[in-house]
Every structure is written in C-alpha cells, then in structure tokens.
Amino acid sequence: MVVLSHQSTLNQLFLIKTCKPPHMFMEVPEVDLTHSQAKTMIVKACQEFGLFKLVNHGVPLELMTRLENQALNFFMQPQSVKDKATPPDPYGYGSKRIGTNGDMGWVEYLLLTTNPDVISPKTLLLFQQNPQIFRCAMEEYIRAVKKVCCEVLELMAEGLEIGTRNVFSRLISDERSDSCLRVNRYPACPELNAEALSGPNLIGFGEHTDPQIISVLRSNNTSGLQICLQDGTWASIPPDHTSFYVNVGDLLQVMTNGRFRSVKHRVLADSSMSRLSMIYFGGPPLNEKIAPLHSLVSNEEESLYRELTWREYKNAAYKSRLSDNRLSLFDKSANHSEVNGETQISWSEQLSKS
Ligand SMILES: C=C1C[C@]23C[C@@]1(O)CC[C@H]2[C@@]12CC[C@H](O)[C@@](C)(C(=O)O1)[C@H]2[C@@H]3C(=O)O
Ligand SMILES: O=C(O)CCC(=O)C(=O)O
Ligand SMILES: [Fe+2]
C-alpha cells in the first residue's frame, strides 16, 4: 500500500486502485486549424472520441505562458495567504474541494468568470501582488481562446452540414455568454513514487463530463489527463504545452442529438511533476434554450433530449456530484425507464425530491 506522508484520512480519499496505463494514447486525433479538411476531421473526432488536439491555432505561446506564470505566482504564495482569498462560490480560489457536494481531488484551482464586469473588484482581490498584470494576461488570453473556440464551432457546423454557420458559435460570442476560465494546479506527490508502476493512483480531478458546450484546455508538459474511450477503458492524453485539447461538453451532445460525445475525463496526479492546466469553458447565455437541432433530427421521435435552458441545466449540474450522469435528466428515454416491469426513479427525480 502507498504510504502518504501525512497519512490523513483526506489523502486516502484520493486514491483509486487502477494501474497506470503503460503508454500514452497516441491515437488522439490531431486537427490543424489551417487545414482544408479541418471541419471533416473535427466532426470525426467529436463523434468517435469527443476530444481532439488542436494545432496551428494561432494563439502565441507567449500569451499562454504569461497567464500561466501569473497563476503560478498566485499558487506559490503561502497557503495561509491563499486561504484568505475568495472561496469558490462558484468563482474564486479552491483547494481539494471541488464543487459543493463532497467531491475532492489533489488539486488547487482558480475558477473565474470570463465576463469582465464580474471579474473586477472581488476577484481582483485574489491577486494581491499585481492585479493589473494578472487581469491583462487573463483578458488577452480569453480573447484569443474565445476566437479559436468560435472558429472551431463554425467548422463543426460546416462539417455537420448545418446551413447556419454560426449556430454554435453565436452562443459563445454573445456578450451574455456564460463562460468561465479554470486554472488547475495538481501538486506533485512524491509519496506515490514507491509503487508508481503498479500501485494506486492519486485522483487530481475525478471523472466527469463538462456541462457547457465546449472546453478548450491548455496544460504544461505534465501528463495526467485521461479520457474514457467508448469501450470504457481510460486513455492517457500526451501533454503538449503548445497545443489545445478541445472537448465536447454536454450541451453540444444535446444540440447534435448525441452525434458528438461529451467525453468523460479525469486527471491523475503525478509523483514528480506538478501539472498546471487552464481550461476555457464555453457556455451559452443563461436563458438560451438548448435542444437537438432540427437538421440533425429526422423526426420528433428521434430527438433524444428534451429542451432545456442553460440556467436549468447549470443549476442541476451544480447540485450534482462530479461523476453523476447529468444528461440523463434530459434524456427522453432515460427519465422514466422501465426495467423488469418497474419504473426506475431517475437521478433527476431523486434530485428534485431532495
Ligand atoms: C462537483 C461539481 C464541480 C462542478 C460543479 C459540480 O457540481 C458538477 C460539475 C463540475 C464542473 C466540471 C467542469 C468544470 O470544471 C466546472 C467549473 C463546471 O462547470 O462543472 C465544474 C464545477 C465546479 O468546479 O464548480
Ligand atoms: O485540469 C485538467 O487537465 C482538466 C480539468 C477538468 O477536466 C475540469 O476542470 O473540468
Ligand atoms: Fe473537465
């Protein structure tokens, strides 16, 4: 058994008994944003994996590292200083606790809204040393990543042969778009070293799908991200600090009527290197009605999901545990399913009763 230095019960919570996959998963689809066939490659990847690596995206490495360094400056402060920062509600600084429903991970993070009006006073208190430099780095990064995100969403619409090119991107470019930026730091955990190849792993961020439309992730060169493949096995994604990994979120699965997979993913901590990731979560305005697009549904019977607003879905998601299947709430077939002649009470019904 792995003996963690502090031996706290808390640490035990983060251990899972899977063996580390021996190899990196090298079959992750790679899409060159400037390639003439990018739209076809994106659609294929989103159907098969729900994730792809994006290269030639045009965002300068310097912009990424500037924000990364600002975040590291923040994380390197003494814990007592960080603990005085805004607790995540949901925005702010958090450590080990993810969300408010009991999920824990070997991670500390900043969760920030991308809406500049909301960024201002409260969040800026987090960055005591030089708030303006942090703010500037963040705003420039968000502007660049949002542009890439919209380009990708337009290629998705084209690839799916939906007449309206901006059917997805308009939801993110809308000034009321409810998007956010998360910066996660997974500290190295040397205590894992002894049994690194066969022993249990340390969960940095437990398995989940992202509730929004799309997520654009950039990390340093430390591995840890894994996706769940269609056969249920976990595959380790090779890190690349110059590229983005783009993954499908729940709302995009709904809008594409299940053609795109909102991919289940998780992060494992490393014994020797800390991982720093920055994820842009593209969400629509809160009042936006989300439903399968008509052009992707041949008749009403084939529509897999009922209509929802992002507000409704977000509220439900934030009441759920990380690994819950939140989409079952809006899955027409799952809600009142009968198994062996008995009506199953779905997770959503349990939720509304609680
Ligand atoms: C346990 C939770 C954390 C989370 C809100 C939730 O109740 C379920 C979804 C979680 C998630 C996953 C993707 C993003 O990291 C996130 C910001 C989001 O929108 O949904 C987190 C939420 C969070 O950390 O507050
Ligand atoms: O930190 C990472 O690499 C991924 C984290 C993640 O999936 C999330 O914050 O939703
Ligand atoms: Fe995620």
Side-chain angles (χ1 to χ4, degrees):
M1 199 186 107
V2 169
V3 180
L4 290 174
S5 59
H6 308 301
Q7 272 296 306
S8 69
T9 2
L10 207 60
N11 285 353
Q12 302 289 338
L13 289 174
F14 306 137
L15 293 170
I16 53 160
K17 289 189 199 113
T18 54
C19 290
K20 276 204 172 75
H23 302 297
M24 282 293 161
F25 182 64
M26 302 314 284
E27 294 82 35
V28 184
E30 184 171 306
V31 177
D32 177 340
L33 194 54
T34 63
H35 195 283
S36 59
Q37 287 309 304
K39 61 182 181 192
T40 316
M41 294 189 265
I42 290 176
V43 167
K44 190 168 182 291
C46 292
Q47 291 181 162
E48 212 171 321
F49 298 99
L51 171 135
F52 59 91
K53 176 173 170 171
L54 188 70
V55 301
N56 261 330
H57 45 68
V59 177
L61 184 58
E62 190 271 330
L63 217 63
M64 298 168 165
T65 45
R66 196 150 29 110
L67 181 57
E68 179 177 7
N69 289 336
Q70 287 301 312
L72 281 172
N73 282 348
F74 172 79
F75 288 129
M76 288 309 123
Q77 296 178 104
Q79 191 63 45
S80 57
V81 175
K82 291 184 283 184
D83 285 341
K84 289 200 188 90
T86 336
D89 180 24
Y91 305 118
Y93 167 75
S95 171
K96 297 194 181 78
R97 290 177 202 287
I98 301 171
T100 52
N101 308 308
D103 289 289
M104 310 282 266
W106 190 259
V107 64
E108 60 176 334
Y109 60 88
L110 285 166
L111 187 55
L112 306 163
T113 170
T114 60
N115 182 339
D117 303 339
V118 192
I119 291 175
S120 26
K122 201 174 160 197
T123 311
L124 281 178
L125 291 176
L126 292 170
F127 317 115
Q128 290 142 356
Q129 289 146 338
N130 206 329
Q132 285 319 322
I133 294 185
F134 195 106
R135 187 190 182 129
C136 195
M138 181 178 157
E139 284 180 354
E140 273 192 57
Y141 181 78
I142 287 171
R143 208 174 302 127
V145 86
K146 183 172 170 179
K147 184 167 170 279
V148 169
C149 185
C150 288
E151 282 175 42
V152 166
L153 288 169
E154 284 172 12
L155 288 170
M156 282 177 182
E158 277 183 32
L160 287 167
E161 297 179 349
I162 300 166
T164 328
R165 197 168 180 260
N166 70 351
V167 68
F168 304 124
S169 63
R170 68 177 182 82
L171 302 171
I172 307 302
S173 54
D174 191 307
E175 60 178 17
R176 294 159 304 152
S177 142
D178 182 38
S179 300
C180 60
L181 181 79
R182 177 173 207 132
V183 186
N184 291 326
R185 179 176 169 270
Y186 304 90
C189 183
E191 288 86 346
L192 280 176
N193 229 350
E195 298 183 53
L197 288 175
S198 58
N201 288 300
L202 189 61
I203 280 286
F205 205 111
E207 64 178 76
H208 66 283
T209 60
D210 294 341
Q212 293 83 356
I213 294 175
I214 190 169
S215 312
V216 184
L217 176 148
R218 187 268 174 187
S219 76
N220 66 359
N221 269 337
T222 301
S223 62
L225 179 64
Q226 297 188 327
I227 60 166
C228 188
L229 302 178
Q230 292 198 31
D231 65 5
T233 57
W234 287 98
S236 294
I237 303 297
D240 177 352
H241 72 294
T242 63
S243 306
F244 289 120
Y245 280 103
V246 178
N247 72 265
V248 173
D250 294 348
L251 297 187
L252 197 52
Q253 178 166 323
V254 171
M255 292 182 86
T256 59
N257 202 32
R259 274 183 67 175
F260 284 5
R261 286 181 70 209
S262 177
V263 64
K264 210 196 279 177
H265 53 285
R266 68 183 184 190
V267 179
L268 302 181
D270 191 272
S271 60
S272 59
M273 285 154 74
S274 71
R275 175 178 168 89
L276 197 291
S277 59
M278 316 193 291
I279 310 113
Y280 173 80
F281 298 96
L286 285 166
N287 287 335
E288 192 70 37
K289 289 184 179 148
I290 304 290
L293 295 173
H294 290 304
S295 59
L296 299 179
V297 180
S298 32
N299 59 53
E300 189 44 36
E301 265 129 60
E302 285 181 40
S303 167
L304 297 179
Y305 304 99
R306 70 173 176 84
E307 186 179 271
L308 53 98
T309 62
W310 169 228
R311 176 179 279 109
E312 200 182 345
Y313 192 64
K314 187 179 177 184
N315 285 342
Y318 276 72
K319 280 185 199 151
S320 68
R321 294 293 298 263
L322 212 44
S323 64
D324 282 332
N325 178 3
R326 291 172 275 280
L327 265 184
S328 67
L329 228 160
F330 298 90
D331 183 330
K332 282 185 177 171
S333 60
N335 246 356
H336 297 283
S337 58
E338 277 204 353
V339 176
N340 296 334
E342 280 183 42
T343 303
Q344 301 294 297
I345 298 184
S346 67
W347 170 79
S348 60
E349 286 164 315
Q350 293 171 34
L351 187 83
S352 61
K353 282 180 188 153
S354 64

